[in-house]
Amino acid sequence: MTKLRKTTFLIKEMDCPSEEQLIRMKLEPIEGIKNLRFNIPGRKLDVYHEGSPGPIDQALESLDLGSRQETSVEAESPIDSEDDTRQRYLLWWVFGINFGFFIIEHLSGWISGSMGLIADSLDMLADAIVYGLSLLAVGAAVSTKKTVARLSGYFQMGLALLGFSEVLRRFFFSSATPLFQWMILVSIFALIANLISLLIINRAKSDEAHMQASAIFTSNDIIVNGGVIIAGVLVYLFSSKWPDLIVGGIVFAFVIRGAFRILKLSR
């Protein structure tokens, strides 16, 4: 095997797939990098490269993710996992489930008047965008990746801002309550879809960072689904619009934050 250097970085704000993609796209133009190994739960990145780690250190610092070089030693480049193709196949399934339920929940949210469902649908879209960028980016030019990220980020941001403005409009000017039956039923199906996604990811039995991060993302989606179900029950019990608007506003805020992260990919 080729002798390289393995430089390990601690990256304090690397906690989800969007930061992983941001780092990959930032480092890709740097010559001499042969492999990247992400440990998202541990907030660490191993870079296998030729030459000095200086340009890599500077590129990571420019991202403002709290990066710090820890060690740099001589090492052999790791062999890519033989089941990469299977992992991509499983991630395509997860992408399809997330994007499909984005459409279902978004339409159901407008029909039922539930901002919680609409916000949850955009949360599903945010995950689908990250999975899609990970899959479609394979073999693509850096400029293509950045264009896709920019368009996706602006699209998600636009939908989230429209949704947030609708929450404010209903907060001040509307007294109508959403159809709690739709909120509960559709969210239960979305919950089942996310549980299936989590099962698919766990079946891969992979220690790869992107698979671990996908499991974290999907677990967070399950929590959001549960929040919308609880909001639907509270709407029924109190005949009030407030639970739906509160949950919708909270989730929209997270979606907007995610859109900013995706837009970082296009810089």
Side-chain angles (χ1 to χ4, degrees):
M1 293 191 179
T2 305
K3 285 289 184 180
L4 302 169
R5 294 201 69 80
K6 182 182 81 169
T7 302
T8 300
F9 295 89
L10 175 66
I11 306 176
K12 294 181 180 179
E13 297 184 26
M14 182 180 70
D15 58 4
C16 72
S18 59
E19 279 94 10
E20 178 184 339
Q21 287 304 308
L22 174 64
I23 291 167
R24 285 185 183 278
M25 293 174 65
K26 187 68 176 180
L27 297 185
E28 185 167 352
I30 299 177
E31 294 185 3
I33 293 179
K34 302 301 182 181
N35 217 320
L36 300 175
R37 283 292 183 268
F38 289 85
N39 177 1
I40 290 180
R43 307 291 204 278
K44 289 188 177 182
L45 166 65
D46 292 332
V47 183
Y48 294 82
H49 62 94
E50 298 172 343
S52 168
I56 302 169
D57 201 356
Q58 293 174 6
L60 290 174
E61 285 183 359
S62 70
L63 295 175
D64 295 324
L65 294 177
S67 65
R68 175 171 59 84
Q69 181 179 324
E70 289 197 324
T71 61
S72 186
V73 298
E74 190 175 83
E76 295 178 343
S77 180
I79 300 174
D80 288 332
S81 173
E82 294 181 357
D83 63 350
D84 280 352
T85 301
R86 180 169 177 265
Q87 290 180 9
R88 290 192 188 97
Y89 173 78
L90 295 178
L91 284 175
W92 270 114
W93 271 101
V94 176
F95 166 78
I97 291 171
N98 276 267
F99 189 77
F101 265 87
F102 154 67
I103 296 173
I104 293 171
E105 283 194 297
H106 202 74
L107 292 175
S108 300
W110 284 112
I111 293 171
S112 65
S114 169
M115 299 312 297
L117 276 180
I118 293 173
D120 193 17
S121 76
L122 294 187
D123 188 50
M124 300 284 274
L125 174 64
D127 292 354
I129 288 173
V130 173
Y131 296 142
L133 285 173
S134 300
L135 292 164
L136 297 177
V138 177
V142 175
S143 59
T144 301
K145 298 176 186 179
K146 290 185 175 182
T147 299
V148 172
R150 183 166 56 252
L151 293 176
S152 300
Y154 281 131
F155 178 67
Q156 182 181 327
M157 177 70 72
L159 289 177
L161 289 175
L162 284 174
F164 205 85
S165 65
E166 180 65 11
V167 167
L168 294 176
R169 187 192 71 80
R170 296 188 185 192
F171 183 86
F172 290 109
F173 302 111
S174 175
S175 59
T177 58
L179 301 176
F180 68 88
Q181 300 95 329
W182 281 72
M183 292 178 64
I184 296 172
L185 184 62
V186 175
S187 292
I188 287 174
F189 280 114
L191 177 63
I192 293 172
N194 276 316
L195 288 172
I196 293 173
S197 296
L198 190 60
L199 177 63
I200 290 173
I201 293 169
N202 288 336
R203 280 185 61 189
K205 297 180 181 180
S206 172
D207 293 328
E208 294 292 324
H210 65 281
M211 298 299 287
Q212 294 177 8
S214 298
I216 293 171
F217 254 36
T218 304
S219 298
N220 291 338
D221 287 343
I222 290 171
I223 295 173
V224 173
N225 296 147
V228 178
I229 292 171
I230 292 173
V233 173
L234 293 175
V235 168
Y236 166 69
L237 292 176
F238 298 104
S239 298
S240 171
K241 65 181 179 181
W242 304 116
D244 178 59
L245 293 181
I246 291 170
V247 169
I250 291 172
V251 179
F252 277 131
F254 281 108
V255 172
I256 290 172
R257 179 173 176 264
F260 275 118
R261 285 181 168 181
I262 291 173
L263 286 173
K264 275 189 176 182
L265 299 176
S266 64
R267 293 181 183 176

